[in-house]
């Protein structure tokens, strides 16, 4: 495979982070690829809800192009797609199933999938739902890059017939996520779009502690929270926080809370981008519990796992500043060593380069679609 790599990525959105954690994940990864000398064309469906909230319309680390229909994007970029070293389709891409079938027929050198929502994807497929990826399509990909690692990779290969599943955790841009040294404003904060399955944990690990500790200050940032939620008076609300303000947000928290979606807790080994962002900014982390977390950031050393409201209250009222800073710096050191966009870009490039050592294969779609051969 040539160096530098010539890659094409279809993703949910790079230009807008509004209610969309994919944007920061892609931005860190693509910046890392650019820093490594690779060339990326990112193709994004032009939809009004992102068009009205674009906070990175002209990235300097890749070429960003918008499209209206699959026909239009294939007509405009067909030659680039066939010449690319790899074409990578992300999860939640609009009309993803049709796009994947059309790309397979186009026969790029290598076709890959980057699932930034692996546990959600697999849970949907088990229910027979295929909003952006069909179960029959999984064997088409040379590599199924997965947001989740651990046992999830075995499930992908053995139950879903992925040819090769490789963990590609989200990552953080180490140059942009640093502690800003601003004065502390909140004792505990949380950043995340509303999710019904996360809300009970947010209630238990932030809102209830806020009620019990009325003299402390709390904050929840993120859009789409229902109007009927009763926020304690000492909880500040920020509806949308663009990525350029994340470092400042984390730096002003005495502790920050990490809350994980239910499907990701069930799967395990699914760290969120917010976990790595907070650690890079030296914000001491209180997190809910899931398999694999202790392997990434050891409990009591690089973060604190909380199971109950009482656990959070105890941390906020009893942990001394020296211990708090020690935990924060341990997490930061681990993340900067292993979970930056540059580290992730090297992992992806290495996995793609290894494909050149793999014999070409004939892959078949479902009976209604012709066979397709890719080298």
């Amino acid at each position: 495979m040539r160096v530098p790599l010539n890659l094409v990525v279809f993703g949910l959105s790079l230009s807008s982070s509004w209610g969309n954690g994919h944007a920061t994940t892609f931005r860190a990864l693509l910046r890392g690829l650019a820093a490594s000398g690779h060339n990326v064309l990112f193709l994004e469906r032009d939809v009004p809800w992102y068009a009205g909230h674009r906070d990175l319309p002209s990235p300097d680390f890749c070429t960003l192009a918008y499209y209206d229909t699959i026909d239009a994007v294939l007509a405009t970029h067909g030659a680039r797609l066939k010449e690319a070293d790899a074409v990578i389709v992300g999860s939640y891409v609009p009309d993803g199933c049709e796009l994947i079938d059309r790309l397979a027929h186009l026969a790029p050198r290598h076709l890959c999938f980057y699932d930034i929502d692996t546990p959600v994807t697999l849970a949907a497929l088990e229910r027979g739902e295929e909003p952006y990826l069909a179960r029959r399509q999984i064997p088409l990909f040379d590599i199924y890059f997965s947001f989740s690692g651990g046992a999830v990779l075995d499930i992908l290969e053995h139950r879903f017939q992925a040819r090769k599943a490789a963990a590609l955790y989200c990552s953080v841009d180490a140059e942009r996520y640093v502690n800003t040294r601003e004065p502390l404003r909140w004792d505990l904060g949380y950043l995340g779009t509303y999710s019904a399955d996360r809300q009970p944990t947010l209630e238990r690990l932030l809102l209830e502690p806020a009620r019990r500790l009325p003299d402390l200050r709390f904050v929840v940032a993120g859009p789409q929270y229902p109007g009927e939620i009763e926020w304690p008076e000492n909880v500040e609300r920020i509806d949308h926080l663009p990525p350029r303000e994340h470092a400042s947000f984390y730096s002003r928290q005495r502790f920050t809370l990490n809350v994980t979606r239910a499907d990701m807790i069930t799967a395990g080994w699914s760290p969120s981008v917010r976990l790595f962002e907070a650690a890079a900014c030296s914000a001491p982390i209180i997190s809910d519990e899931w398999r694999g977390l202790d392997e990434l950031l050891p409990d009591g050393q690089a973060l604190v796992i909380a199971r109950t409201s009482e656990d959070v209250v105890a941390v906020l009222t009893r942990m001394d500043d020296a211990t708090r800073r020690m935990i924060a710096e341990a997490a930061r050191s681990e993340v900067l060593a292993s979970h930056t966009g540059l580290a992730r870009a090297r992992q992806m490039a290495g996995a793609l380069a290894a494909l050149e050592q793999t014999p070409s294969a004939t892959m078949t779609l479902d009976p209604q679609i012709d066979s397709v051969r890719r080298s």
Side-chain angles (χ1 to χ4, degrees):
M1 187 170 282
R2 296 167 293 179
V3 177
L5 299 178
N6 176 22
L7 305 176
V8 179
V9 179
F10 286 86
L12 175 62
S13 178
L14 182 71
S15 68
S16 174
S17 63
W18 183 82
N20 162 36
H22 287 217
T24 47
T25 295
F26 276 125
R27 291 173 189 181
L29 174 64
L30 269 55
R31 281 192 177 101
L33 287 167
S36 300
H38 306 300
N39 301 309
V40 179
L41 167 64
F42 190 96
L43 298 171
E44 174 180 333
R45 176 72 73 88
D46 191 6
V47 294
W49 48 92
Y50 290 143
H53 297 87
R54 283 178 179 149
D55 48 17
L56 189 68
S58 302
D60 59 3
F61 50 83
C62 72
T63 300
L64 170 60
Y66 304 101
Y67 65 95
D68 294 319
T69 66
I70 293 175
D71 286 340
V73 73
L74 296 183
T76 302
H77 300 285
R80 177 76 181 266
L81 290 164
K82 290 181 70 69
E83 295 170 358
D85 293 296
V87 176
I88 302 164
V89 181
S91 49
Y92 275 97
V93 168
D95 300 316
C97 294
E98 179 186 353
L99 175 65
I100 291 165
D101 283 344
R102 299 282 297 275
L103 289 172
H105 281 293
L106 193 64
R109 290 187 60 180
H110 294 292
L111 182 62
C112 302
F113 192 73
Y114 184 20
D115 199 338
I116 304 178
D117 308 274
T118 309
V120 176
T121 301
L122 299 189
L125 293 178
E126 293 284 21
R127 296 190 299 268
E129 300 170 7
E130 299 178 335
Y132 48 83
L133 172 70
R135 187 167 186 154
R136 62 175 172 76
Q137 293 174 325
I138 293 178
L140 286 175
F141 302 111
D142 292 287
I143 302 179
Y144 192 114
F145 290 109
S146 170
F147 166 95
S148 305
V152 175
L153 303 181
D154 292 331
I155 292 172
L156 278 164
E157 292 184 349
H158 297 133
R159 188 183 305 172
F160 291 89
Q161 287 76 55
R163 297 178 64 204
K164 178 176 178 56
L168 196 73
Y169 294 134
C170 54
S171 58
V172 64
D173 185 336
E175 293 185 359
R176 287 166 173 77
Y177 286 85
V178 296
N179 192 284
T180 61
R181 306 302 176 191
E182 295 174 81
L184 294 176
R185 177 183 176 91
W186 304 288
D187 295 284
L188 179 64
Y190 172 71
L191 172 59
T193 300
Y194 172 79
S195 173
D197 65 337
R198 278 194 299 237
Q199 192 61 24
T201 305
L202 185 65
E203 170 71 31
R204 184 175 71 255
L205 301 185
L206 191 146
L207 299 188
E208 181 58 26
R211 296 185 188 101
R212 298 187 189 184
L213 301 169
D215 293 335
L216 299 189
R217 297 164 297 175
F218 299 77
V219 61
V220 173
Q224 302 178 22
Y225 284 84
E228 61 267 22
I229 294 177
E230 295 184 6
W231 301 98
E233 291 185 2
N234 56 337
V235 176
E236 183 176 343
R237 274 286 292 128
I238 301 173
D239 184 62
H240 174 61
L241 197 73
R244 65 179 179 274
E245 298 178 22
H246 286 188
S248 173
F249 180 73
Y250 286 120
S251 298
R252 289 180 289 161
Q253 297 175 51
R254 193 159 65 91
F255 292 91
T256 196
L257 179 65
N258 178 70
V259 179
T260 310
R261 294 195 63 176
D263 286 334
M264 295 177 181
I265 290 175
T266 300
W269 293 278
S270 301
S272 73
V273 66
R274 305 296 176 229
L275 188 71
F276 295 148
E277 289 177 356
C281 293
S282 300
I285 299 165
I286 299 173
S287 179
D288 55 2
E289 186 176 25
W290 38 268
R291 289 177 299 160
L293 175 58
D294 199 51
E295 298 172 20
L296 294 165
L297 298 173
D299 182 25
Q301 299 176 38
L303 52 65
V304 178
I305 292 176
R307 300 169 182 85
T308 66
S309 303
E310 290 76 14
D311 291 339
V312 176
V313 170
V315 172
L316 294 179
T317 58
R318 299 177 191 172
M319 183 175 289
D320 60 77
D321 279 346
T323 303
R324 185 179 65 84
R325 286 192 293 266
M326 179 187 68
I327 288 174
E329 289 310 308
R332 181 175 182 274
S333 295
E334 178 60 33
V335 166
L336 294 185
S338 304
H339 302 294
T340 64
L342 184 59
R344 217 55 89 228
R346 289 169 176 165
Q347 290 175 351
M348 173 176 273
L352 293 173
L355 290 175
E356 296 304 297
Q357 309 304 317
T358 303
S360 61
T362 299
M363 284 172 287
T364 304
L365 299 171
D366 71 11
Q368 298 179 344
I369 303 176
D370 296 332
S371 296
V372 75
R373 181 182 294 275
R374 299 202 316 274
S375 58

